[in-house]
Amino acid sequence: MWMGIDLGTSSVKVVLIEDNGEIISEASADLSISRPQSGWAEQDPSDWLVAVEQAVLSLPSDLRAATRGIGLSGQMHGATVLGADDRPLRTAILWNDTRAAAECQELTRAFPKAEEVSANLVMPGFTAPKLLWLRNHEAETFRSVRSVLLPKDYVRLHLSGDKATDASDAAGTSWLDVAARQWSPGLLEATGLRIGHMPNLFEGNQITGTLRAALAASWGMEQVPIAAGGGDNAASAVGLGAIEPGDSFVSIGTSGVYFVVDAKPMPNPKKAVHCYCHAVPDRWHRMGVILSAAASADWGVKALGYASIEEALTDAEAARPGPYFAPYLAGERTPHNDGALRGAFTGLDANTDRGAMMRAIIEGVSLAIADCQRAIGHKPSEPLALVGGGARSQFWAQMLANALGSSVALVETGQAGAASGAARLGAIAAGNASTDLCRKPSVTHVIEPTDDLAERRLGWSAIHPAIRELNP
């Protein structure tokens, strides 16, 4: 039995898998986000630990007792800053926080090779500019920083007492030499930090420590090994068996992702494509990322007065195409790299009802993910696996297939991709060499494109240049 713990943005998910990779039990616990100002997003790290405890203890006790290893995955880019006592100095600044736009330019001026070494544009959501923002705006806090951990690695510190991370998660900080898979002294110095501030680096399938005795006793488990794991999307890829060059998938979670595996780094910063290390050795991946995918749908449910996402999607499916929606509620990454960009509806008239507006939201998110596909320049040779909350809706999956012009596959692990991948990495790290662990999951349904959305795409694409001039 192997446990995967995924620290998401809206919840913690925990799964238990067998040696063949099959999920036999899962649990979750919700998280909330604080937004003190427009463009800001924060969480209290102590809430992560409470949610992990709640989710783990929701699993059957006999299965917990049979667990032989743990793997971790989690939301990327978050800045968890610790003082000399290893306690957080402030709330964590999350991946979808865009306050550090000016600091991106500051970092690039201080280290002109930043884009070349990190294989990415320096973006406001990444970790390094957040530390520059602290230095510029919360100087006393910055002076007290002794360690910087990514969100899942703060959970690791609680579980085992180890300060460690993996190459896939570290690649999203703007501090990693992505080709060498090592911290860059130059990038760290440009933010006023040293390698000593950073956790130790591991590959995702390596052991970083063991579960603390007190916690093991509380959970009814042995002191099992803990694997480095991966950033949420890289871990999802492992859960989907996407570890060979050319493997690809789409994720519709809080954010939206188009993911392709590569045998070597293939940066494309001009299109705001992410080029990161994979969670397995000798592999890299490219991602196109939009910041508000399911987050846009959740916003629509609340703003339009729906009782549930299910009710909203039923209304959306019944509605005829009408207005357009730009899903830039928290800025955007691929392909625009504009943290100040904000969302908009256009084409509203007196007959527009909330069903038409909800349909526009689902369409807008799908077309934004298609923007990521074009930025990467990828045409899949087989159906794209779809994971995340959007995988629960065949209507949304159909809209996505139409937007991409590609077949979309719903798969068995569609709801627990990152946690499942983390568990698999835990099993591999502990010496389980089963070839079943990284197999691709069974496809439950394939959805073919039924409409190329060419006319709708033309109207939707005109929104960005128009609203770019209206940014507050």
Side-chain angles (χ1 to χ4, degrees):
M1 202 74 59
W2 311 95
M3 181 182 292
I5 300 174
D6 175 45
L7 172 61
T9 310
S10 58
S11 67
V12 169
K13 301 179 184 70
V14 182
V15 302
L16 290 171
I17 66 170
E18 295 184 300
D19 288 350
N20 62 4
E22 293 295 322
I23 296 174
I24 61 168
S25 185
E26 56 188 289
S28 64
D30 290 339
L31 293 168
S32 61
I33 300 175
S34 171
R35 299 185 182 278
Q37 297 186 36
S38 176
W40 290 27
E42 300 182 350
Q43 284 179 329
D44 186 336
S46 66
D47 291 344
W48 302 337
L49 306 185
V50 170
V52 167
E53 181 92 359
Q54 180 181 338
V56 169
L57 292 178
S58 296
L59 298 170
S61 58
D62 60 326
L63 298 182
R64 293 201 310 269
T67 298
R68 291 177 284 161
I70 297 173
L72 301 178
S73 65
Q75 51 170 297
M76 297 179 67
H77 313 301
T80 313
V81 291
L82 309 182
D85 59 358
D86 287 342
R87 296 179 182 274
L89 295 167
R90 68 178 321 278
T91 50
I93 306 176
L94 302 188
W95 59 273
N96 51 351
D97 187 295
T98 57
R99 74 184 74 178
E103 283 75 17
C104 295
Q105 299 176 22
E106 182 181 344
L107 192 158
T108 303
R109 286 194 300 269
F111 190 74
K113 291 185 177 181
E115 183 180 307
E116 177 185 343
V117 173
S118 71
N120 291 274
L121 289 175
V122 179
M123 296 186 177
F126 291 4
T127 323
K130 294 180 174 75
L131 268 291
L132 273 179
W133 185 91
L134 284 178
R135 188 171 73 176
N136 292 340
H137 297 274
E138 297 181 7
E140 184 175 349
T141 297
F142 182 83
R143 284 193 295 270
S144 299
V145 172
R146 295 296 177 268
S147 303
V148 183
L149 295 180
L150 293 160
K152 81 171 192 319
D153 300 317
Y154 181 71
V155 172
R156 184 195 317 280
L157 180 65
H158 172 69
L159 298 185
S160 69
D162 298 296
K163 295 178 184 176
T165 193
D166 73 286
S168 72
D169 213 355
T173 62
S174 286
W175 286 316
L176 195 76
D177 182 330
V178 167
R181 303 170 86 98
Q182 296 291 333
W183 296 121
S184 163
L187 284 167
L188 286 164
E189 184 178 347
T191 50
L193 300 174
R194 304 179 306 280
I195 287 178
H197 288 98
M198 296 295 105
N200 294 321
L201 264 171
F202 293 81
E203 293 295 343
N205 61 352
Q206 291 181 312
I207 293 172
T208 62
T210 57
L211 190 63
R212 291 188 295 111
L215 204 52
S218 172
W219 289 358
M221 295 170 55
E222 299 294 324
Q223 286 187 261
V224 296
I226 298 174
D232 49 6
N233 290 296
S236 289
V238 175
L240 291 166
I243 59 173
E244 296 300 331
D247 289 345
S248 56
F249 69 90
V250 172
S251 171
I252 301 180
T254 303
S255 62
V257 172
Y258 193 104
F259 186 108
V260 181
V261 180
D262 295 309
K264 63 181 180 180
M266 297 183 65
N268 184 6
K270 290 183 179 179
K271 292 287 188 179
V273 171
H274 300 338
C275 174
Y276 294 156
C277 305
H278 204 336
V280 293
D282 301 319
R283 291 288 184 270
W284 287 257
H285 65 85
R286 283 169 291 162
M287 289 196 303
V289 177
I290 68 170
L291 292 176
S292 296
S296 289
D298 291 342
W299 171 83
V301 168
K302 294 175 183 176
L304 299 173
Y306 284 106
S308 67
I309 183 64
E310 290 78 16
E311 180 189 11
L313 290 171
T314 298
D315 256 12
E317 186 171 7
R320 296 177 61 83
Y324 298 102
F325 176 72
Y328 309 134
L329 301 182
E332 195 53 292
R333 289 196 189 169
T334 311
H336 305 303
N337 186 34
D338 188 346
L341 195 62
R342 290 296 179 264
F345 280 105
T346 64
L348 302 174
D349 63 27
N351 294 317
T352 301
D353 60 15
R354 65 178 186 168
M357 295 175 75
M358 197 69 205
R359 182 185 182 97
I361 290 172
I362 301 306
E363 179 190 65
V365 169
S366 301
L367 289 169
I369 291 174
D371 268 357
C372 294
Q373 181 192 44
R374 285 192 294 278
I376 292 173
H378 179 255
K379 188 68 176 176
S381 58
E382 56 186 33
L384 282 161
L386 175 61
V387 298
R392 291 181 298 208
S393 167
Q394 289 212 14
F395 165 65
W396 200 337
Q398 183 66 67
M399 187 73 80
L400 183 66
N402 293 347
L404 296 172
S406 303
S407 303
V408 170
L410 304 183
V411 298
E412 286 182 343
T413 58
Q415 297 308 308
S420 174
R424 294 182 188 203
L425 289 167
I428 295 167
N432 187 330
S434 171
T435 56
D436 287 340
L437 277 171
C438 286
R439 80 189 194 288
K440 290 180 169 61
S442 299
V443 172
T444 60
H445 189 58
V446 174
I447 297 175
E448 302 290 347
T450 58
D451 182 349
D452 65 8
L453 295 184
E455 186 174 335
R456 296 290 298 172
R457 186 191 310 278
L458 187 64
W460 180 84
S461 297
I463 301 177
H464 172 256
I467 62 175
R468 182 178 54 199
E469 305 303 322
L470 300 175
N471 284 346

